[in-house]
Amino acid sequence: MRLAPLVATLMLAAGSAAAAQLPPVSPSSKPSREVALIGESQPLPPPTPQQAASGTFHGVSVADRYRWLENPNAPAVRQWIAAQNAYTEAALAAMPQGRALTARVQQLAITSTTRSGPTLAGGTLFYLQQTPPQPQPVLIAQAWPDGAAKVLVDPNADHGGTAITAYWPSPRGRYLAYGTAEGGSELTTIHVLDVGTGKTLPDTLPWAGSGTTPQGLAWDADERGFSYVRFAPPTAGQAVEQFHATLVHHALGQAATADTVVFGKGYSKTAEYVLVNAPATAQAAVLAYDGDGGPAEVFLRRGDSFRRVLDRSANVRTAAWVNGRLYAASFREAPRGAIVAIGDDGKAVPVLAEREGAIQQIAPLGNGFLVVRSWGPDWWVEQYGADASFVRRLPLPERGVDIGEIASESGRDKALISYSGWTTPARWAEYDGRSGSLKTVFEVKPAADYSRVVVQRIDGTSKDGTKIPVTVLSLPGITPNGARPTILYSYGGFDLPVKPGFIGSNLAWLEHGGVLAYANIRGGNENGQQWHAQGQKLHKQNVFDDFHAAALALIDTRWTDRAHLGILGGSNGGLLMGTQIVQHPGDYRAVVARVGIYDMLRHETDFANGPYNIPEYGSIADPTQFKATLAYSPLQHVRPNTAYPAVLLTTGENDSRVAPWQSRKFAAALQNATSSTRPVLLLTRTNAGHGIGAPFSQRVGDAAIGLTFFAHELGLDVEK
């Protein structure tokens, strides 16, 4: 599965999914006697022995002296992890900025009730709702628009360890299937309940997707069963093998062991299926991927079978059902996307030619449809009629907002549109396609005034001349002076854009004179598929050059300097952070990298999700790609006696997307190599994974830890 850009939430909102799951370190506790304050007489980290090991690739021998850290069950590794955690916790506890920042982050995180994931089926609206500091969201059903809200599923009995991963109402809304996962592992079990009675049915379906391949489900027209994504059941005493996913059919009331494969047998070891359902009907399509980052093949369900209607040459990335036909966004010869319609005959006919803005989402509305577009950090929604004639651009803010889920159905002239922005917490707006009116029907009430935040744009220029948009956030009176403590975030991969999300608890950084910055670098799809393709495989170095250009733009425009610049990223963005540490160690003062990949030569072959990432990163089995990968893989470019910046790495022991040993090996290499007195810290979180479904209190604590580290290292004055 794609390496989600979830670490943005450390900066964007403590109330949304963050990257780690450990009860927060208390920055106000006293440090141990052996650990001095960072910046004073910095103690040495726990020692890490080097052992002789290497790998040979296409005749090239590559040393791998920390390979012994890959075994999480070895007693020496367990002792090493414990020692690193103790070292990190003591170092964080000694940072005096922690008390004030933690208190303010906690205050800002307690907003009014939040809602997400609206889905309409049979006149019923389903969504997730969370009231801070409730650990996990609860699942709600409400007759739309004026019915009373009813709690269907509350996963909070185990204090937040169980998360709802996805949910799928049946066509008329009689039943609801939903997935749960434990301890951040993302390995999903599907359950079914009767919406009317609220009773959970005995159907319990394990192995229904994980961090390697996404969950998916499509109901039958008669609501008596459904098809869903599943891994092969494991043999007794063995862990489930997270490859070769298929679609299996389940009839309500039958045992999971009786479920039969209906699609995907032998399709691909790294198969991923996105099931596209038509609200209030049982029409379904499958976008079938061979790993991450590439285009989909498109299949339509007809009865009990699936028929391929588009191959990967169409470069389809998203689709929706509109008036009984599947509307697919094709990026073949249209880098910003064009829409084709596929009817019962399986033939694709053009509907909407390429226009300004990259297509991100399609949704039905009345007799026509809506299209969500982006260009750089700007997002908007357009309405089209049944003949694909342009009707209007919806009256949303022109800049600084991100369009979320759209709940709508063909034949209904009203849609529910969710959106948020840098200074706007989540809102739901009811849009009337006939009149063009937009009415707010739900909004989160924040804990502070965000209207004061000043949003500005600058551009960086990458090595090849490409302009890189950078959004800069500050408070009034905070102008460029050449030394503002600044945090720069980006992601750069897997067709995933950096969106203008609500900054939430990170207002605490701005309140003390800090600056937040977000770069729209290549590898995402903000500007369409060409923007994405220029950051894939042999072109991956473009991503790293783009980010460095964004950093230099902040320095050139005198927002900050190298002594006050911090950078943040996670997952694929953690790889981005690793490259910046080893390629430009003198240009950053502090780095926070979460659940990142640092040893690209071992990721593909020694971790389940690695093969899924080949379409994005390429394969080291190819000699040309190996050469390009080795040229940027961070671990192999850590150099002895180099003054590296302050670094905080975090990982989760149950991560199914990025191996925890990636962070262990990189931390050990940096600790042994750095000649500076700046700390290299590693925090390993137990009962945690890649960060999906982290409980509220841990997300808040994680945000506070990150800001505390940056404040201490970048010199943010929290006494102001």
Side-chain angles (χ1 to χ4, degrees):
M1 185 183 288
R2 294 177 178 185
L3 303 177
L6 47 92
V7 179
T9 55
L10 183 149
M11 293 179 65
L12 298 177
S16 56
Q21 269 187 305
L22 186 75
V25 175
S26 173
S28 60
S29 61
K30 294 181 179 180
S32 65
R33 294 179 63 185
E34 292 80 12
V35 179
L37 293 177
I38 304 298
E40 295 180 6
S41 179
Q42 173 63 20
L44 295 176
T48 306
Q50 300 181 44
Q51 298 181 2
S54 64
T56 300
F57 309 87
H58 305 288
V60 178
S61 180
V62 180
D64 192 4
R65 298 182 181 89
Y66 301 103
R67 186 178 295 178
W68 67 275
L69 287 172
E70 292 183 8
N71 182 2
N73 299 316
V77 175
R78 302 308 306 170
Q79 294 171 7
W80 185 90
I81 292 171
Q84 290 286 341
N85 274 350
Y87 173 70
T88 296
E89 290 166 4
L92 291 170
M95 297 179 181
Q97 298 89 343
R99 182 187 296 274
L101 280 174
T102 299
R104 185 55 174 157
V105 165
Q106 290 171 341
Q107 290 174 348
L108 293 170
I110 304 299
T111 66
S112 66
T113 296
T114 65
R115 293 178 182 176
S116 62
T119 302
L120 275 170
T124 300
L125 181 70
F126 299 86
Y127 56 91
L128 291 171
Q129 178 170 290
Q130 185 171 28
T131 303
Q134 185 181 47
Q136 294 283 357
V138 299
L139 190 49
I140 300 287
Q142 177 183 349
W144 186 253
D146 300 319
K150 173 184 176 182
V151 176
L152 297 179
V153 182
D154 184 347
N156 290 295
D158 67 347
H159 307 291
T162 299
I164 297 172
T165 58
Y167 48 94
W168 306 270
S170 62
R172 291 179 291 280
R174 179 181 177 184
Y175 298 108
L176 184 76
Y178 67 96
T180 60
E182 312 292 331
S185 71
E186 299 185 66
L187 186 58
T188 293
T189 297
I190 290 175
H191 315 269
V192 184
L193 59 80
D194 185 305
V195 174
T197 65
K199 292 184 178 179
T200 300
L201 304 185
D203 307 69
T204 301
L205 314 176
W207 320 303
S210 180
T212 56
T213 197
Q215 305 88 34
L217 186 147
W219 281 89
D220 299 340
D222 60 10
E223 300 186 307
R224 294 181 181 178
F226 49 77
S227 299
Y228 69 100
V229 176
R230 192 189 71 179
F231 296 118
T235 57
Q238 300 296 314
V240 64
E241 184 184 21
Q242 295 187 29
F243 293 112
H244 301 290
T246 61
L247 296 184
V248 299
H249 187 267
H250 175 75
L252 293 182
Q254 79 178 11
T257 53
D259 294 347
T260 56
V261 175
V262 294
F263 178 80
K265 185 176 182 180
Y267 183 77
S268 169
K269 176 181 178 180
T270 56
E272 298 182 15
Y273 308 112
V274 174
L275 275 65
V276 184
N277 299 311
T281 78
Q283 290 177 298
V286 176
L287 305 186
Y289 297 87
D290 185 7
D292 302 323
E297 289 190 297
V298 181
F299 296 80
L300 297 188
R301 183 174 69 177
R302 290 291 179 261
D304 296 329
S305 63
F306 293 82
R307 174 188 178 190
R308 189 177 73 174
V309 293
L310 288 175
D311 62 23
R312 290 197 176 90
S313 67
N315 201 357
V316 169
R317 301 286 171 161
T318 188
W321 288 94
V322 176
N323 294 323
R325 296 191 297 171
L326 186 73
Y327 278 34
S330 170
F331 291 83
R332 176 171 52 196
E333 300 177 355
R336 297 187 298 275
I339 296 178
V340 298
I342 306 163
D344 288 336
D345 59 3
K347 295 182 179 179
V349 297
V351 170
L352 185 67
E354 183 180 41
R355 293 171 57 98
E356 293 300 316
I359 295 176
Q360 295 287 350
Q361 187 180 167
I362 306 167
L365 180 72
N367 294 322
F369 57 100
L370 300 173
V371 177
V372 178
R373 298 184 184 273
S374 70
W375 196 251
D378 296 326
W379 289 62
W380 66 94
V381 186
E382 297 170 347
Q383 180 184 354
Y384 295 86
D387 60 354
S389 60
F390 179 78
V391 177
R392 66 176 63 89
R393 176 168 168 163
L394 274 59
L396 292 160
E398 290 190 4
R399 284 192 162 192
V401 296
D402 160 41
I403 311 302
E405 299 92 346
I406 297 177
S408 62
E409 297 173 310
S410 288
R412 292 176 181 261
D413 291 315
K414 293 184 178 181
L416 191 64
I417 299 173
S418 62
Y419 71 97
S420 62
W422 300 122
T423 63
T424 305
R427 289 182 180 174
W428 288 2
E430 184 183 78
Y431 175 66
D432 188 323
R434 288 185 177 272
S435 67
S437 64
L438 197 71
K439 179 178 67 175
T440 299
V441 295
F442 170 79
E443 59 183 318
V444 175
K445 302 295 184 184
D449 178 12
Y450 289 81
S451 65
R452 317 175 279 143
V453 176
V454 178
V455 181
Q456 303 178 58
R457 299 272 181 85
I458 61 173
D459 283 331
T461 302
S462 198
K463 276 188 176 181
D464 63 0
T466 301
K467 295 295 184 182
I468 307 301
V470 183
T471 302
V472 180
L473 279 67
S474 62
L475 287 183
I478 303 301
T479 56
N481 70 354
R484 300 288 185 193
T486 299
I487 306 172
L488 172 64
Y489 169 83
S490 198
Y491 182 72
F494 291 91
D495 202 23
L496 296 171
V498 171
K499 303 178 181 181
F502 182 53
I503 63 171
S505 293
N506 297 287
L507 181 64
W509 183 262
L510 302 184
E511 288 175 333
H512 295 291
V515 173
L516 300 175
Y518 303 81
N520 291 102
I521 63 179
R522 283 174 286 186
N525 65 3
E526 294 94 323
N527 293 357
Q529 280 306 306
Q530 188 175 16
W531 195 251
H532 172 216
Q534 289 176 355
Q536 286 182 288
K537 297 182 178 178
L538 294 175
H539 307 295
K540 197 66 182 174
Q541 184 60 41
N542 284 337
V543 174
F544 315 137
D545 293 341
D546 289 358
F547 186 86
H548 188 236
L552 294 181
L554 290 166
I555 295 171
D556 292 342
T557 54
R558 292 190 52 75
W559 277 106
T560 192
D561 59 13
R562 290 167 174 80
H564 296 88
L565 178 57
I567 58 175
L568 168 69
S571 193
N572 175 75
L575 168 63
L576 174 63
M577 295 299 100
T579 64
Q580 299 306 297
I581 291 170
V582 298
Q583 292 183 13
H584 308 287
D587 286 346
Y588 309 107
R589 180 64 176 80
V591 183
V592 173
R594 301 197 179 275
V595 292
I597 309 171
Y598 310 107
D599 183 355
M600 289 296 296
L601 303 186
R602 297 280 286 171
H603 173 66
E604 176 188 338
T605 58
D606 271 44
F607 197 64
N609 201 36
Y612 285 88
N613 298 158
I614 289 174
E616 182 73 13
Y617 293 137
S619 175
I620 59 172
D622 176 84
T624 302
Q625 187 59 60
F626 161 72
K627 182 178 179 180
T629 302
L630 179 60
Y632 70 74
S633 182
L635 181 67
Q636 285 74 32
H637 291 276
V638 176
R639 298 290 179 250
N641 300 313
T642 301
Y644 288 111
V647 177
L648 172 61
L649 306 176
T650 67
T651 188
E653 288 193 340
N654 297 333
D655 194 337
S656 58
R657 302 194 191 207
V658 176
W661 53 254
Q662 291 274 356
S663 296
R664 295 198 289 268
K665 292 171 71 172
F666 194 49
L670 289 174
Q671 287 174 347
N672 279 342
T674 188
S675 62
S676 76
T677 59
R678 297 165 188 168
V680 175
L681 307 176
L682 170 65
L683 191 61
T684 300
R685 302 179 180 275
T686 59
N687 197 36
H690 202 63
I692 310 301
F696 178 83
S697 63
Q698 295 172 355
R699 288 181 262 132
V700 172
D702 196 54
I705 289 171
L707 291 183
T708 295
F709 179 80
F710 276 129
H712 191 72
E713 295 299 331
L714 304 182
L716 188 75
D717 185 359
V718 300
E719 301 301 323
K720 292 193 298 185

